[in-house]
Amino acid sequence: KQEVTQIPAALSVPEGENLVLNCSFTDSAIYNLQWFRQDPGKGLTSLLLIQSSQREQTSGRLNASLDKSSGRSTLYIAASQPGDSATYLCAVRPSNAGNMLTFGGGTRLMVKP
Amino acid sequence: ETGVTQSPTHLIKTRGQQVTLRCSSQSGHNTVSWYQQALGQGPQFIFQYYREEENGRGNFPPRFSGLQFPNYSSELNVNALELDDSALYLCASSLGLAVGLDNEQFFGPGTRLTVL
């Protein structure tokens, strides 16, 4: 059974810092990995999707890497801003099943002005 | 192009009651997945519907059931509500099921269910 873990569970940083969020998964048979952002009480906004054959994806100040063999992904946020404050979730899609996602518990990020 | 919509936004029920949540998929999408997100946790997969048939189910009891309609909108029904059913229920739509397709899931805003 696939298990996804995110560390740390919560993070508080001053504005301007570069930061790294970690995601690990137990079964490397994945089709893709996706990072989402969730504001309090809201739905999920997709940030980056990495296919299993890819090593990284970039969008603006965000960069996500994937090491499938070791079961790890990182989300790097450059020059953090108060508007980045949210919960960040990673999710994996299995390579041998339908289109269902297994999520980690999330990292709650607070960027202080 | 319309995104995924869900209704209602919020709902309060009492233990033992039944509830129906609704989801309209993004235009052109034929697959709908439902997730339950308890406070402070990541979403958990409930089940998925593809072309009106259930295709995949997570670790949820039979009192969680669903439907998908010919226009690919979907309902989630929960019978005999329990306090632990209090959560944010998220719906996601995508195109197709098969591995190999670029079928990213797009999420709706969710329905917040409170069971008293």
Side-chain angles (χ1 to χ4, degrees), chain B residues 6-23:
Chain B
Q6 292 186 243
S7 63
T9 305
H10 297 90
L11 203 51
I12 299 175
K13 292 285 190 178
T14 57
R15 282 174 53 187
Q17 284 189 312
Q18 179 266 343
V19 69
T20 297
L21 310 182
R22 295 179 175 83
C23 171

Side-chain angles (χ1 to χ4, degrees), chain B residues 60-107:
Chain B
F60 281 82
R63 60 188 184 85
F64 286 77
S65 63
L67 282 174
Q68 187 178 32
F69 300 100
N71 66 355
Y72 304 129
S73 66
S74 177
E75 286 182 355
L76 164 65
N77 300 291
V78 187
N79 293 323
L81 284 167
E82 301 176 359
L83 297 179
D84 284 350
D85 295 334
S86 295
L88 181 68
Y89 288 85
L90 296 164
C91 163
S93 76
S94 58
L95 177 61
L97 271 185
V99 171
L101 289 179
D102 183 16
N103 44 10
E104 182 177 352
Q105 292 191 34
F106 295 86
F107 283 79

Side-chain angles (χ1 to χ4, degrees), chain B residues 23-38:
Chain B
C23 171
S24 291
S25 59
Q26 185 166 307
S27 176
H29 285 180
N30 56 14
T31 304
V32 172
S33 304
W34 286 93
Y35 294 83
Q36 180 196 65
Q37 186 178 25

Side-chain angles (χ1 to χ4, degrees), chain B residues 37-54:
Chain B
Q37 186 178 25
L39 198 61
Q41 298 181 22
Q44 286 196 301
F45 175 72
I46 303 175
F47 46 55
Q48 181 177 79
Y49 279 83
Y50 172 64
R51 292 184 175 178
E52 303 178 57
E53 297 281 334
E54 184 179 296

